[in-house]
Amino acid sequence: MRTLYTFFRSSTSYRLRIALALKGLDWEPRFVSLPNMAHRTPDYMALNPQGLVPALVEDGKVFAQSLAVLEYLDEMHPEPPLLPGDASGRAYVRGLAQVIGCDLHPLNNVRVLKYLKARWQLSDDDASEWYRHWIAEGFRSFEATLKASGMSGSYCLGDTVTIADICLVPQVANARRFLCDLAAFPLSVAIADRAAALPAFEAAHPSLQADAF
């Protein structure tokens, strides 16, 4: 049995729940409360020295960083594939995934927002402005890449779900949670909504997790 250390509202945990569901892999949850700082306890830090969620334990090995774990799962459990078979297609979907995973999400992570408030005394309104600015910048880049490529269809790459969609859906959900205006990104939103309606994505939704509150 594989174990996923997860928090229901963590978009990176959400990504791995989607991937595990798409591949039909059984897993046992270990809930790590971020508000309670459970990810910084000695026991969890011994498991995952990065002190972040998610962490996946499989065959006695610990894997962290969601983008890396997505590719690990795809290599170890190749059906259905989350990356296309050709090098250019893989570069395209990896690039889209990294717009979210490397450019957009890190700037809006809860720990960043907390630091801005604590160190620079940003008000809640100022922190929200920061969040919405970087959401808009990230989705502008994502939307422009989709349009320029001409490779999207029902999903980011034609009609096949890839890691790009797995990263997109949680980020759209987070943006909506923070009341961000996504009207300028209709293609990205339409793709996210179609993917989110798939059974594997629905099963991974934060509201359906046992630790949701």
Side-chain angles (χ1 to χ4, degrees), residues 64-109:
Q65 288 294 336
S66 64
L67 293 180
V69 182
L70 287 173
E71 296 215 23
Y72 164 80
L73 288 171
D74 211 37
E75 292 174 7
M76 296 298 294
H77 311 280
E79 294 299 328
L82 303 179
L83 287 165
D86 62 297
S88 62
R90 289 194 298 275
Y92 165 69
V93 298
R94 282 173 173 143
L96 285 173
Q98 289 174 25
V99 168
I100 292 172
C102 302
D103 295 340
L104 195 166
H105 175 262
L107 289 166
N108 288 329
N109 193 282

Side-chain angles (χ1 to χ4, degrees), residues 47-206:
L47 177 86
N48 178 10
Q50 296 174 32
L52 302 170
V53 292
L56 179 73
V57 180
E58 183 171 86
D59 295 331
K61 297 178 181 177
V62 181
F63 303 95
Q65 288 294 336
S66 64
L67 293 180
V69 182
L70 287 173
E71 296 215 23
Y72 164 80
L73 288 171
D74 211 37
E75 292 174 7
M76 296 298 294
H77 311 280
E79 294 299 328
L82 303 179
L83 287 165
D86 62 297
S88 62
R90 289 194 298 275
Y92 165 69
V93 298
R94 282 173 173 143
L96 285 173
Q98 289 174 25
V99 168
I100 292 172
C102 302
D103 295 340
L104 195 166
H105 175 262
L107 289 166
N108 288 329
N109 193 282
V110 170
R111 61 180 176 160
V112 172
L113 298 177
K114 284 184 175 179
Y115 181 78
L116 289 171
K117 290 182 179 181
R119 175 63 179 86
W120 304 107
Q121 289 80 53
L122 263 64
S123 67
D124 287 345
D125 287 344
D126 288 339
S128 294
E129 181 180 344
W130 167 281
Y131 188 97
R132 290 169 182 154
H133 170 79
W134 292 113
I135 284 285
E137 282 293 297
F139 276 107
R140 180 204 57 74
S141 178
F142 197 95
E143 183 90 355
T145 303
L146 285 174
K147 290 179 177 178
S149 74
M151 297 170 71
S152 67
S154 297
Y155 309 113
C156 292
L157 181 65
D159 297 327
T160 302
V161 172
T162 67
I163 61 171
D165 308 288
I166 290 172
C167 290
L168 175 62
V169 167
Q171 196 61 62
V172 168
N174 268 6
R176 285 173 167 159
R177 178 171 161 247
F178 283 88
L179 305 178
C180 297
D181 183 0
L182 300 178
F185 319 112
L187 182 55
S188 301
V189 171
I191 288 171
D193 286 346
R194 280 191 291 270
L198 296 171
F201 284 76
E202 288 187 328
H205 193 275

